[in-house]
Amino acid sequence: MMRFPSPLLALVLFVSFPSFVAAQALKLPDPLPGTAPLKLSEPLDEHMVAGIDRYALQALAQSPELRPEKWNYDFNSHAAFIESIKENRARFKTIIGAVDSRVIGPGFELLSTTEKSSVIAECPAFKVHAVHWQVLDGITASGLLLQPTGEIKARVVALPDADWTPEMFVGLKAGVPESARIPLALAARGIQVVIPTLMSRDADFSGHPDVFYTNQPHREFIYRMAFEMGRHVIGYEVQKVMAAIDQFERLDKQEGRILPVGVVGVGEGGLLALFSGAADYRIQSTWVAGYFQQREGVWREPIYRNVWSQLTEFGDAEIAAMIAPRSCVIEACAVPVVDGPPAPKKGQRASAAPGVIEIAKPASVKAEFERALPVFEQLGLQQNLSLVFSGEGTGPAGSGKALADFLFGLRIRQNKKLIPPVELRRTANGIQVDPNARQEQQFNEMNAFTQELLNRSARYRDAEWQPGKYTSVALWEKDADRLRDKVYDELIGRLPAPEQPVPLNVKTRKVLQHDQYQGFEVMLDVTPEFVAGGILLIPNDLKPGERRPVIVCQHGLEGTPMDTIRADGHSYNAYKNFSEQLVKRGLIVYAPQNPYKGRDRFRTLQRKSNPMQRSLYSYIIPQHERTLEWLSSLPFVDRQRIGFYGLSYGGKTAVRVPPFVKQYVFSICSGDFNEWVRKNADSAHRYSYVFHGEYEIFEWNMGHVANYAELSYLMAPRPFMVERGHNDGVAPDEWVAAEYAKVRRFYTQMGIGDRTEIEYFNGPHTINGQGTFAFIFRNLNWKPSGD
């Protein structure tokens, strides 16, 4: 939690404010005493988001300098080195979601029928079989096996780009440059090669017939649901590589020998080759074509490359270093470029995240390579890390030098005799594999596996949180901070404390003069890079020396503080000017500007933050801490009586900020509380964000860390309330009721059931302001004006 020094504003403000007289006469100066004039020319939300953006980009740029803190290399021996990075390797496998136990399958299963052979093509040196193999419970890999007709010298998993099918990778279908058909060059040299199908960038299956279909690439659709469950399309496909290696080991045992194992990939396959080589020590030689480079700009790439916390510990150089002391070949080359998600076809809705793939700049490849090289040099194995440029870095994959270095890593001597180009001949009796049907099957398997994780996740959370054991507040408070820290660190992400004290630097300007209240726009510093801000509403009937409670009223998505105040316009339909209603009842009201405004302008903040183990709420929590620090210093504020009330995205804030900011004495979640994990990971329900454009909404491994019930537990013993309209489209009543029932049980078992409640009303996604207002007045110990 960020800690900042509190400026000595209270005394200044107290002596500077005029004596409070009759309600109609109060007129506070502009700016507020003790603050500087606010002269901001751009909207506050734009200024705020731009500052957070600078902060996030700065953190990304500095990440290579900070990563060495996570490593403790031991170069005394190869064995000592491997042991010294064991925990790093385990963390790496966790963040890419390669954590599930693999199935021990029967081997590579040949796809054949009574009429058709598994051999779909052949040449004198090898045959091409259609195969599949077991990976996880319910997930298989499917593709091609190139089986040499003579002695097998090594075994290799070859990974095509996501835009290439296995058939394209071996030239049976057009689309891959001849030199990039790497599996052919390997099989012609006596290497057994297996080629799995990857999740493609097409969008044919990204949706559900009972909901709608989207233009999300298959990789993104799987990524969204999997990310919420602590899994990843990357991890699933690394598991497919490791499952193939399991079968290689099985074959070695059957044949009574141990053959070297390699992995090679191009483009998206290059990513998987690099990650697999780092994750699985059984791989002797890794060839990464067209992927390796500086990764601090990963936020520009497709969202299915977003890996939580990766750049705090693992740039491409650090991942390559985990391949040491084994062999790693980096080839700078052309790959299929991506200028964004596919355009929506008929029957599809546009909801995909932006993201591009470009050919890596040679300077970026070289700079990252030079960061990895010292590890190999200190092991005395600099020859095991090679950098090859195909052309000037823009030629096709599969250059002769890269192939030679890869074979060197497999301990295969190059035959000086020229190997003629491979000419595959399709067999007349080979089984006909429909690549589209195969893609659909692979997509459906990943989908179903993730949905089963979702269905089991509540049991996992119950085992971790053990809500039934807390029969008193005292028992709960023994564990509450530990669980609070776990959620903050693992789910939200914590900003580092500033190196130097950051003054609040408060600026204000009057924006409202009403006969019952006055309003000031406020801006203050959170860090030197970004600010917090909002509108402070002060009742005109304050008495001299009086300190009143504060209610913080939070807007929702694409909102502003004024939306919660104005009594007309479109925003009134949702907010019912609840900030104004509460200040008219005598409370001091603060309406913060939260940074979820500006569409992609704010959504990319999540992309820039996730690699550094941060989320949007990593910034919002410190914003609220700083704001409460300032509010508490005001001479007319009772710092012991500050509550929170938020609608929609403000309701998201209600379960993600007050649980971690203990100065909030209660929290009200309006129009958002529900079975949040299911809402983000369910692939067959119209309420699910899997289908919609809010691509920033997904939170890493939330399914196994904390749902809304667990987040609400963290409010205890402070009061917590839910406001729910029966016709609110956020989720069905059944989801809301079931999730809230856990909260009610939790409070009741501790003997404080009177501190939590839910109010249903017959209405839509809106503030109701009936039971919630009574809850506010009761818990702030306030008698509303006029009552």
Side-chain angles (χ1 to χ4, degrees), residues 694-750:
E694 289 85 350
Y695 59 82
E696 89 293 346
I697 207 76
F698 304 94
E699 295 160 287
W700 171 249
N701 200 26
M702 191 172 190
H704 296 102
V705 177
N707 204 345
Y708 269 21
E710 290 80 23
L711 290 175
S712 302
Y713 296 166
L714 296 175
M715 279 301 299
R718 294 170 291 162
F720 175 73
M721 182 176 181
V722 172
E723 183 176 50
R724 162 69 189 179
H726 286 305
N727 301 319
D728 193 326
V730 165
D733 275 350
E734 292 81 0
W735 288 12
V736 178
E739 192 69 9
Y740 177 74
K742 299 177 183 179
V743 180
R744 183 56 181 259
R745 178 184 62 196
F746 185 74
Y747 273 72
T748 300
Q749 286 178 164
M750 289 191 291

Side-chain angles (χ1 to χ4, degrees), residues 488 492 617-625 656-657 660-661:
Y488 202 158
I492 291 172
Y617 282 93
S618 301
Y619 312 104
I620 294 174
I621 290 175
Q623 285 180 322
H624 281 255
E625 289 173 333
R656 290 172 177 81
V657 171
F660 304 96
V661 180

Side-chain angles (χ1 to χ4, degrees), residues 469-718:
K469 84 174 189 179
Y470 300 110
T471 55
S472 70
V473 171
L475 279 174
W476 165 240
E477 289 186 333
K478 288 180 180 179
D479 289 343
D481 283 342
R482 174 183 62 83
L483 290 165
R484 186 174 287 110
D485 287 343
K486 173 185 171 67
V487 176
Y488 202 158
D489 292 331
E490 295 183 16
L491 181 66
I492 291 172
R494 199 184 298 260
L495 297 188
E499 295 181 0
Q500 300 293 332
V502 179
L504 283 170
N505 191 26
V506 185
K507 300 180 177 70
T508 64
R509 63 184 169 199
K510 184 175 285 190
V511 291
L512 293 167
Q513 179 68 54
H514 190 275
D515 60 1
Q516 291 180 261
Y517 64 87
Q518 296 170 64
F520 291 82
E521 188 172 21
V522 178
M523 188 174 76
L524 53 87
D525 289 348
V526 180
T527 73
E529 295 82 9
F530 71 91
V531 302
I535 295 179
L536 176 66
L537 303 181
I538 304 171
N540 287 344
D541 63 350
L542 275 167
K543 305 298 188 298
E546 181 184 13
R547 290 181 180 268
R548 289 196 185 178
V550 177
I551 182 68
V552 174
C553 295
Q554 186 63 68
H555 65 77
L557 178 65
E558 298 294 342
T560 67
M562 197 61 73
D563 291 334
T564 73
I565 300 169
R566 61 171 54 99
D568 56 12
H570 178 73
S571 61
Y572 178 79
N573 295 333
Y575 295 105
K576 299 296 189 293
N577 69 322
F578 75 121
S579 287
E580 184 182 63
Q581 292 297 321
L582 288 165
V583 74
K584 285 181 175 180
R585 285 164 170 79
L587 292 173
I588 296 167
V589 174
Y590 188 79
Q593 175 67 62
N594 264 9
Y596 34 69
K597 190 172 188 299
R599 299 185 182 273
D600 285 338
R601 195 163 50 83
F602 92 81
R603 291 201 161 100
T604 56
L605 295 178
Q606 194 87 317
R607 293 292 322 280
K608 295 166 185 172
S609 303
N610 277 184
M612 297 303 297
Q613 196 170 344
R614 297 169 190 168
S615 67
L616 201 59
Y617 282 93
S618 301
Y619 312 104
I620 294 174
I621 290 175
Q623 285 180 322
H624 281 255
E625 289 173 333
R626 293 284 275 177
T627 298
L628 295 195
E629 181 183 341
W630 176 65
L631 288 172
S632 298
S633 73
L634 297 176
F636 47 82
V637 166
D638 184 345
R639 70 185 314 274
Q640 303 299 325
R641 293 188 290 167
I642 303 178
F644 186 93
Y645 186 4
L647 172 70
S648 194
Y649 265 56
K652 291 174 183 45
T653 307
V655 295
R656 290 172 177 81
V657 171
F660 304 96
V661 180
K662 293 183 179 180
Q663 191 174 349
Y664 280 121
V665 297
F666 66 78
S667 182
I668 302 173
C669 177
S670 177
D672 187 71
F673 191 91
N674 67 91
E675 214 284 31
W676 185 253
V677 172
R678 183 164 295 281
K679 182 172 175 62
N680 282 274
D682 194 315
S683 63
H685 208 294
R686 68 182 180 88
Y687 293 105
S688 175
Y689 276 120
V690 167
F691 297 92
H692 298 283
E694 289 85 350
Y695 59 82
E696 89 293 346
I697 207 76
F698 304 94
E699 295 160 287
W700 171 249
N701 200 26
M702 191 172 190
H704 296 102
V705 177
N707 204 345
Y708 269 21
E710 290 80 23
L711 290 175
S712 302
Y713 296 166
L714 296 175
M715 279 301 299
R718 294 170 291 162

